Amino acid sequence: ALPVRAELLVAEGYPGAAAHTVLVVRPDGYLVAALSGVRPDELYACADAVRGGAVTVPVAAPPSEATANR
């Protein structure tokens, strides 16, 4: 599951790409990246870069001892 909506397309080949290359293509058809093999951390980083950076989700801090004992 990528952090963006995605579609997987499998092709026999792509000009200039070696076998098992993962191509990241924007919805408007521009090639963003060609990754050698499938490495989830690289794919996530690429997806984050395409959409302008990682999305951070605020996490609630655990209650302090002072407020937990009330």
Side-chain angles (χ1 to χ4, degrees):
L2 289 174
V4 293
R5 211 166 124 192
E7 183 176 340
L8 174 65
L9 302 173
V10 179
E12 291 292 320
Y14 187 85
H20 307 289
T21 299
V22 175
L23 302 173
V24 179
V25 181
R26 294 188 331 199
D28 59 4
Y30 284 94
L31 177 64
V32 174
L35 307 172
S36 176
V38 179
R39 293 185 185 91
D41 55 336
E42 290 178 7
L43 196 51
Y44 281 108
C46 184
D48 283 338
V50 168
R51 67 173 187 199
V55 172
T56 56
V57 178
V59 177
S64 67
E65 285 187 33
T67 58
N69 294 329
R70 289 185 189 190

